[in-house]
Structure formats: structure tokens, C-alpha cells
Amino acid sequence: MTMIQPDPADLEPIHPYSLARISHVALQAGAVLAQSGASVRVVHEGARMVAEGLGVEVLGMRSGYASFEITLARGHHSFTRMIQIGPHGVNHRLDFAVRELLKRASRGDMTPDAIEAELKRLQSDTPRHPPWLVAIATGAACAAFGRLLGSDWLSFGPVLAAASIGQGVRHLLLGRRFNVFVVAAIVGCISAALGGLGARLIGSSTTELAMMASILLLVPGVPSTNAQTDVMDGYPTMGSARAVTVIMIMVFAVTGLWLAEFVLRIHT
Amino acid sequence: MTATWIAMLPHLAHQAAFGALAAAGFGVLFNFGWRTLAWCAVAGALALAVRTVVQQTGGSLEAATFAAAFVTSFTAILALRWLGPACNAVALAGCIPMVPGAFFGQAMLGYMAVAADTTGSSTAQIVAASQAFVRVLSIVGAIGAGLAIPAYLLKSRQF
């Protein structure tokens, strides 16, 4: 959502780009970084690089969990604009590709149109691992978690399979824009039930650990450390919002696990 | 002393190997590139190795986690030449296997059981659940502090 205000700087022919145009590009860059899992400090630094590369001064920025706001100035004129931030995720390759773009933009040899086009291209063209590989890798990570927690070798395969299926289901549901917390509960239930059932059928003596390990794909590790980084960097609002989101996701994931335990008649 | 260290090696290797697998697995989920994924695995192995050594020498899980995160972050920043600005992200991925999701699960399930208890004899369960919850907070705090302190001290650049 953007708030459009009249931009007096538009009347000054000496400047090729209006403050509105620059603010829009800077906000877009910041929003992509935020959605890719960057901390607030990186988001603000990125937006500042764009704005300063295009020849304006940044008077202030404010980041919330769902919106990002910037105030730019040129001479006696200033301009404030806000943009909505979409679902938060983690996408390392996109994050660092955008940072490289912003480094180029900060040198001042890119137009707002070129930066915007490059941002769009990066969002559509930055490679992603195929969903089947992500599912198997996530399953392997959860099986490794199981071993680190002390589960036996027999449960390794069931946890790998259960968490892989859980990740596949999560990919499908999030792709259909289901609520992230509801998805955590559903995936938690499915993964824990499959992991526990598989471990039990195969004769594992650590069924409960297998169920727990099967839902660890849902643990939001990056947001939990970003929450602390944001607070340490002086952005307690964003840090708190991230921390609350982490707790909520875990509560829903454990609710799914609890349902699976109820279904499998396992009592902790 | 040497015999103790030799006896510890299989467990150390086990923890490091599965730390590497967990970090690399989550690295794929976070869409790290192939080259960076290898570094994530190295960081995960290093973090779990340090944590295991500190625990084996008598340190608490929280202290061991802090030491592991600190060493991983410090090493990643020192490897800036090869990793570039991604060093902080690699250190973070290496510490992901230490995030205490299982403790959080134990705490929540414990509280749910306490809430469902009608006999009034759930004091031990409340204590166990609360203990698990406190451990979640202290371990997450240890990871965050261990990752952040070297980054601030060495002024690790983000771009």
C-alpha cells in the first residue's frame, strides 16, 4: 500500500528523478530484502544505498513486520512513502543477489527504472532448488536432528521420510497461501504421525524422539536469531514481532505434534 | 588425558557429521547456493564439534552452545576472503542444528499435560516443563549472543 503525496521536487527540471520515484525503488529493494530473511539493519542499509546512489538524502526509515516506510529529502523538499512487506521467508541467493545489485546502484550509475527492472528479474530468475530436493534435504536435516537428540538408527529412515513428506505438504499449502500458523499445525501433525508410526512399525525404541525430530523442520531458526539481532541493532519493535511469530509457529507445530500423539495413543 | 580424547572421538565425529548434515539440509531449504552449502556443512560440523567438546569437558549445554556459536561466527568472519559478506549467514546456518526446537516441544507438551491434569499432582511436570522452557530461552539467547558478539567486535560488513 502506498500513500501518494504531491512531490514539489517534480517541478524542478534539474533533477531527472522525482522523490516519489526514488522512494518507490528504495522501498521495493528493502521489501525484497526483508522478505528474503535479512535483518532490519541490512534492509535499511540497502534502501539507503539506493536512495543515496540516486542523489537524495535519507531523513529516516521505519520498519514494521508488515510495512516499511522511508522519508527522503532533496534541498528543502521531503517526501514520505510506505510499502507493504509480503510474507517473510528465507532465500539466501535472492538476498545476496539483491545486495550485489544495491552495491551497483549505490555507485550512482543506474536509473530507477533499471534498478526496478533488475529487481523484478532477480525475483523471477534467481535459481531455487527444486521442491523435491528441498523436501529430501529437509527430511535429512530432521533425521540428523533425531540422531543429535539421541534417537536410534532404526528411526532415521522414518523421520527422513516423514519430514520430507511434511516439507512437501508445507510447500503445497504455502503455495496456496494458507495461513502460516495453520500450516505449521497441519504439517506438525502429519510429520509427527508419520514419523512416529514409521518408527513404531520398524521396531524403534525411540518413537517419541522420532516424532519430535519429524517436526523440527518447522522451527524458525533464522527468524529467532534475526529477532535478537534486530533488538541488538536498535529495532526492538521488529525484533519483538519476529520473536512472537517464532513462538506462535512453535505453539502451532507442537499442537500438531500433540494431536499426532493423541491419534497414535502415545503419552509423554 | 589422551585416552579420554581418543575415547571421545567417535561421539565427536558422530555429532559433527550430523551437525553438518542438519546445517546443509536447512541450507537447501534456505536456498543457499551449492558452493555456500558446502561451507554451511563445515560450519555445522564445527559448531557441533565445539559444543560436544565443551560439554564433554564439563560445560553446561548453554555454555557449550554459546562457545560453539561464538567459535563458528568468529571463524566464518575470519574466512571472509572466501565467504564474502555471506559469512554471517553461513555461521547462522551452522548454528541452526543447535536451535532447541525439541526443548520447546517438551515444554509445550508438558504444559498441555499439566493443563489436562485433574488430580492436582502435577508439580513435577510443571517444574520439568518450566525448566525446558527456560532452557529454550537460554539456548536461543546463547546462540544469538555467540553469533552477534564476534560480528560486532570484528565489525563484520553486511554488504
Side-chain angles (χ1 to χ4, degrees), chain B residues 43-121:
Chain B
L46 175 66
L48 266 291
V50 172
R51 189 178 78 166
T52 307
V53 168
V54 175
Q55 276 190 286
Q56 295 286 321
T57 50
S60 67
L61 177 60
E62 290 77 7
T65 306
F66 173 78
F70 188 94
V71 170
T72 308
S73 176
F74 193 82
T75 310
I77 293 168
L78 289 184
L80 186 72
R81 181 193 299 181
W82 300 285
L83 296 173
C87 61
N88 295 314
V90 168
L92 171 56
C95 290
I96 290 291
M98 301 191 295
V99 173
F103 277 125
F104 195 96
Q106 281 172 14
M108 291 307 300
L109 289 172
Y111 287 132
M112 283 176 179
V114 169
D117 180 52
T118 51
T119 63
S121 57

Side-chain angles (χ1 to χ4, degrees), chain A residues 36-60:
Chain A
S36 304
S39 66
V40 174
R41 183 155 59 112
V42 170
V43 170
H44 284 195
E45 205 174 324
R48 186 182 301 277
M49 286 164 82
V50 173
E52 289 178 354
L54 292 169
V56 299
E57 184 191 353
V58 180
L59 291 184

Side-chain angles (χ1 to χ4, degrees), chain A residues 24-266:
Chain A
H24 188 63
V25 179
L27 286 172
Q28 277 185 313
V32 174
L33 285 173
Q35 287 164 210
S36 304
S39 66
V40 174
R41 183 155 59 112
V42 170
V43 170
H44 284 195
E45 205 174 324
R48 186 182 301 277
M49 286 164 82
V50 173
E52 289 178 354
L54 292 169
V56 299
E57 184 191 353
V58 180
L59 291 184
M61 282 181 270
R62 187 201 160 276
S63 287
Y65 193 76
S67 64
F68 178 32
E69 213 173 289
I70 192 167
T71 300
L72 300 179
R74 185 197 284 139
H76 297 297
H77 306 298
S78 66
F79 186 86
T80 299
R81 174 169 273 191
M82 182 173 75
I83 196 170
Q84 209 163 24
I85 294 176
H88 289 249
V90 184
N91 187 337
H92 181 266
R93 277 193 277 195
L94 178 59
D95 181 354
F96 279 81
V98 171
R99 292 189 204 198
E100 283 301 317
L101 166 65
L102 300 186
K103 273 196 268 186
R104 277 190 283 142
S106 71
R107 291 181 207 125
D109 50 5
M110 289 182 84
T111 64
D113 287 341
I115 298 169
E116 201 170 62
E118 187 65 4
L119 266 176
K120 278 190 184 140
R121 189 192 68 75
L122 288 175
Q123 282 178 279
S124 60
D125 293 356
T126 300
R128 287 209 73 122
H129 296 297
W132 63 266
L133 176 64
V134 175
I136 293 171
T138 309
C142 289
F145 267 125
R147 289 295 300 161
L148 292 171
L149 291 171
S151 66
D152 58 19
W153 275 109
L154 281 174
S155 63
F156 190 88
V159 172
L160 194 155
S164 298
I165 292 167
Q167 172 57 31
V169 172
R170 175 160 72 165
H171 180 77
L172 283 176
L173 294 180
L174 290 179
R176 283 165 178 69
R177 300 198 178 278
F178 276 77
N179 179 282
V180 68
F181 303 111
V182 175
V183 171
I186 293 171
V187 172
C189 184
I190 292 172
S191 294
L194 292 175
L197 198 60
R200 183 190 280 179
L201 288 175
I202 215 163
S204 164
S205 59
T206 52
T207 307
E208 287 173 34
L209 276 177
M211 293 177 79
M212 185 65 79
S214 301
I215 69 157
L216 292 182
L217 73 149
L218 296 165
V219 177
V222 173
S224 72
T225 49
N226 268 348
Q228 292 179 77
T229 309
D230 288 342
V231 173
M232 288 180 75
D233 286 337
Y235 306 103
T237 315
M238 182 66 150
S240 309
R242 277 189 163 138
V244 169
T245 308
V246 167
I247 291 172
M248 281 286 287
I249 287 177
M250 284 308 295
V251 166
F252 275 79
V254 174
T255 303
L257 171 64
W258 178 80
L259 280 171
E261 286 190 346
F262 181 76
V263 170
L264 295 183
R265 296 281 185 269
I266 288 174

